[in-house]
Amino acid sequence: MQRTDVLIIGSGLAALTTALHLAETCQVTLLTKKTLQDSASAWAQGGIAAVLADDDSIEAHIRDTLTAGAGLCNEAAVRFVVENGRAAVQWLVEQGVPFTADASNASGFHLTREGGHSARRIIHATDATGRAVQKTLCEHIRSHANITLLEQHIAIDLITGDKLGFDDRNCYGAYALDNTTGEVKTFAARHTVLATGGAGKVYLYTTNPDVATGDGIAMGWRAGCRVANMEFMQFHPTCLYHPHAKSFLITEAVRGEGGLLKLPDGTRFMTAHDPRGELAPRDIVARAIDFEMKKRGLDSVYLDISHKPAEFIIEHFPTIYDRCRALGIDITREPIPVVPAMHFTGGGLITDLAARTDLQHLYAVGEVACTGLHGANRLASNSLLECLVFGRAAAADILTSPGAPEVEIPEWDASRVTDADEEIVLAHNWDELRRFMWDYVGIVRTNKRLARAARRIRLLTEEINEYYKNFRVSNDLIELRNLVLTADLIVRSAQLRRESRGLHFSSDYPDMLPITGNTVLNPRPGRVCPGACDLPTLE
Ligand SMILES: Cc1cc2nc3c(=O)[nH]c(=O)nc-3n(C[C@H](O)[C@H](O)[C@H](O)COP(=O)(O)OP(=O)(O)OC[C@H]3O[C@@H](n4cnc5c(N)ncnc54)[C@H](O)[C@@H]3O)c2cc1C
């Protein structure tokens, strides 16, 4: 067994921020299931929203976030994040992140504008912001004496008082599989932080990296934490459509800088769907593209920025230019073929303003959490900001809390399992799940489709649980078990929402109800930790 002050699971922006804010004062063990760089954070292109310009204001950023959130944001969380935005960005600047400069701007940085924002407020490092942030912070993580980094370690489950037979609501650490040796290790911690990101891999088409399998949401749920708003899955409207371009996203900033969406014959279509045209929030744009593609039987639509000067395009979007160029598309002269893809998990484990979950000494930071910032829909570039602000808040809370007591924790028991006999079952179930989630629980939902998905999830859950009981755990099995549970939470939440709002659209309930609430699911009904955030709940 390994003991540490703080166990952080994940290595995206949420994990790195939390770790670096803690490491001066305590010992941190950071587990990540692939390499330190593997995360959605490293793939972020657009940037980080914060009020940095003189002609912008905190109130305007709050207003834009609340408008996007369609009545379901927690206003206290929104204010907390927006008010802490400037300090969060300043911290990144101090860490050495090379944001794109602009001497003509009072902030000293170039700020872009994205859909749903009423001002230019997105600070960025050209069109590869995530890569720049991740690279800078990873260097600090690797060189910090108080941080033990364990790559290729996938957390399996949290260790709770419940499981140890204690009458408490504590989290004592986690079990994790070392993917290089096959050994399951026990990590005991005074505080545990889930920073495992989202669940894009639940869907067939996603902009997310392979690591986004909903592990933290599933681990938290099994440990007894409530989840909220899992029906709000955000589909990015513009993912590059090309047989050799897996998950390559064309940032919203292309539309922000004048990119136009067109049908194959060159006609614009967004103004027929929303007066804001290409600058409408991304759910509206995604639904409009889905509608046009289904109506006309198209494989893709086109995003065209070729009317802008070539130097402007290459200067602002070098990564997209290079990637498309490599695939034979010159974006300075021709439009880019695009389709929507699952992009962001809007719901997650319920947390308060200190990132605390329903379990004592368990925190959730980043996309794994439901802080109330996004409500029914995420405003572009608010999520990296959320990682920064709540990472810091979690660290501050941890530093003033005593943590879980030291107790005896049994090692992982693998005495009753054998090596898996048919790995093909995993591959098959994985494909099946992602395809029916895409077909039945995608951009447009219906009661029938949700019921079909629910039936299939029941079957898959039985099969996977059986497999889990009998065979030695593997990376694929852990991920699939988590994916099917996350899919179940998405479907159950979508079935509870009898309206269309934000990222959830049902043809059976196309209107928005005048009164609504958050979709809260509780794994242990009647048992809620008193300190944890309470959301107004959908009945
Ligand atoms: C292509 C793309 C572009 C985006 N662009 C922007 C943008 O411009 N601006 C913006 O604000 N947001 C953007 N987003 C969203 C944003 O990147 C994410 O919401 C944010 O990075 C999430 O950070 P995170 O730290 O919570 O999770 P992640 O960055 O996804 O990190 C999760 C980490 O947890 C690890 N992990 C997961 N499960 C386990 C386990 N069981 N055991 C151990 N480790 C585990 C993963 O390997 C990974 O390291 C974008 C997302 C994508 C996919």
Side-chain angles (χ1 to χ4, degrees):
M1 173 165 41
Q2 307 188 24
R3 279 196 192 278
T4 181
D5 291 335
V6 187
L7 176 67
I8 299 182
I9 303 173
S11 63
L13 185 57
L16 305 184
T17 304
T18 314
L20 289 171
H21 279 105
L22 285 166
E24 289 312 308
T25 323
C26 50
Q27 291 292 330
V28 174
T29 298
L30 195 137
L31 299 185
T32 190
K33 66 177 164 182
K34 285 206 174 160
T35 70
L36 184 55
Q37 279 79 11
D38 277 300
S39 65
S41 301
W43 288 17
Q45 295 179 351
I48 304 170
V51 177
L52 301 169
D54 288 343
D55 59 353
D56 194 5
S57 71
I58 298 281
E59 294 312 317
H61 190 181
I62 291 176
R63 205 167 43 242
D64 293 343
T65 304
L66 293 176
T67 304
L72 282 186
C73 295
N74 172 351
E75 288 202 35
V78 175
R79 182 164 289 281
F80 179 67
V81 171
V82 171
E83 285 182 348
N84 283 290
R86 182 186 280 266
V89 168
Q90 184 54 36
W91 179 74
L92 285 181
V93 172
E94 284 159 17
Q95 302 306 302
V97 176
F99 289 114
T100 301
D102 180 354
S104 68
N105 195 311
S107 69
F109 296 106
H110 183 264
L111 304 174
T112 52
R113 185 173 163 188
E114 291 184 339
H117 287 277
S118 60
R120 282 189 171 262
R121 63 167 74 102
I122 318 299
I123 188 168
H124 60 103
T126 64
D127 61 349
T129 308
R131 198 164 63 208
V133 171
Q134 189 87 2
K135 182 170 179 288
T136 307
L137 298 188
C138 284
E139 281 163 15
H140 294 303
I141 293 275
R142 284 198 192 277
S143 61
H144 208 296
N146 282 348
I147 300 178
T148 304
L149 168 66
L150 296 170
E151 295 174 300
Q152 307 297 345
H153 280 66
I154 178 168
I156 306 170
D157 259 323
L158 297 167
I159 301 166
T160 60
D162 249 2
K163 283 186 198 150
L164 298 177
F166 303 150
D167 186 21
D168 65 32
R169 294 277 286 156
N170 288 348
C171 176
Y172 292 96
Y175 292 111
L177 171 70
D178 178 343
N179 270 325
T180 54
T181 62
E183 181 194 354
V184 176
K185 297 177 180 168
T186 309
F187 293 89
R190 292 197 298 121
H191 308 271
T192 304
V193 182
L194 289 169
T196 47
K201 297 299 281 189
V202 151
Y203 287 95
L204 187 58
Y205 300 112
T206 177
T207 64
N208 286 192
D210 287 347
V211 289
T213 52
D215 295 2
I217 297 171
M219 284 190 277
W221 172 265
R222 284 193 295 266
C225 298
R226 290 168 304 155
V227 300
N229 293 350
M230 288 299 292
E231 70 275 34
F232 297 124
M233 305 301 276
Q234 185 169 51
F235 290 83
H236 195 286
T238 53
C239 200
L240 177 62
Y241 179 70
H242 190 280
H244 303 304
K246 190 184 167 201
S247 311
F248 188 70
L249 176 143
I250 309 295
T251 168
E252 208 114 23
V254 173
R255 283 184 286 122
E257 294 298 339
L260 301 174
L261 281 162
K262 295 180 175 174
L263 297 171
D265 66 1
T267 321
R268 280 180 72 192
F269 58 87
M270 267 318 299
T271 42
H273 293 268
D274 192 284
R276 289 164 289 187
E278 279 77 2
L279 288 181
R282 50 174 65 155
D283 61 305
I284 294 178
V285 180
R287 224 159 34 238
I289 296 175
D290 189 60
F291 176 86
E292 296 293 343
M293 284 174 56
K294 287 201 169 119
K295 180 172 148 197
R296 297 165 201 276
L298 303 174
D299 288 334
S300 74
V301 294
Y302 293 86
L303 180 58
D304 192 0
I305 191 150
S306 63
H307 49 280
K308 290 273 182 182
E311 315 78 69
F312 173 90
I313 298 172
I314 296 167
E315 188 197 341
H316 280 78
F317 305 113
T319 311
I320 297 174
Y321 174 76
D322 286 347
R323 185 69 197 271
C324 289
R325 201 61 216 256
L327 295 166
I329 305 162
D330 179 353
I331 69 170
T332 64
R333 298 154 67 96
E334 58 191 318
I336 311 165
V338 290
V339 288
M342 157 56 195
H343 185 53
F344 180 79
T345 305
L349 301 175
I350 296 179
T351 53
D352 65 7
L353 293 188
R356 289 178 294 213
T357 66
D358 286 342
L359 284 193
Q360 304 281 0
H361 320 300
L362 177 68
Y363 297 75
V365 184
E367 203 170 322
V368 64
C370 180
T371 63
L373 171 68
H374 308 298
N377 195 355
R378 176 184 74 120
L379 187 63
S381 289
N382 264 356
S383 41
L384 291 178
L385 181 63
E386 185 182 40
C387 293
L388 290 166
V389 172
F390 281 101
R392 186 178 204 153
D397 196 74
I398 287 170
L399 291 175
T400 55
S401 316
E406 270 190 25
V407 294
E408 269 314 302
I409 299 177
E411 296 293 334
W412 182 259
D413 179 9
S415 59
R416 278 165 300 188
V417 291
T418 59
D419 284 331
D421 55 354
E422 291 202 314
E423 298 274 347
I424 188 69
V425 174
L426 296 185
H428 179 88
N429 286 349
W430 182 294
D431 288 345
E432 189 185 336
L433 175 74
R434 295 181 65 204
R435 181 162 285 283
F436 73 66
M437 285 299 287
W438 183 258
D439 289 340
Y440 300 152
V441 199
I443 297 174
V444 175
R445 296 154 183 181
T446 66
N447 290 343
K448 261 195 192 156
R449 289 180 190 171
L450 292 176
R452 274 191 203 120
R455 271 199 301 277
R456 282 161 178 78
I457 287 173
R458 269 197 296 279
L459 268 178
L460 285 187
T461 305
E462 266 175 37
E463 258 182 54
I464 294 163
N465 285 348
E466 188 62 25
Y467 203 92
Y468 185 80
K469 258 194 269 158
N470 293 320
F471 299 117
R472 225 176 286 288
V473 285
S474 66
N475 193 85
D476 286 356
L477 176 56
I478 294 165
E479 290 186 337
L480 182 60
R481 177 175 177 244
N482 293 332
L483 278 173
V484 77
L485 174 49
T486 310
D488 182 44
L489 297 171
I490 297 169
V491 171
R492 282 167 58 188
S493 306
Q495 286 177 319
L496 280 174
R497 186 163 295 286
R498 300 218 161 92
E499 60 164 351
S500 290
R501 179 181 299 269
L503 299 169
H504 173 75
F505 186 86
S506 163
S507 308
D508 292 314
Y509 312 106
D511 299 322
M512 196 147 89
L513 292 175
I515 298 175
T516 191
N518 295 279
T519 323
V520 177
L521 300 177
N522 188 346
R524 317 260 198 281
R527 278 186 64 184
V528 170
C529 177
C533 155
D534 266 318
L535 296 172
T537 307
L538 197 66
E539 293 301 328

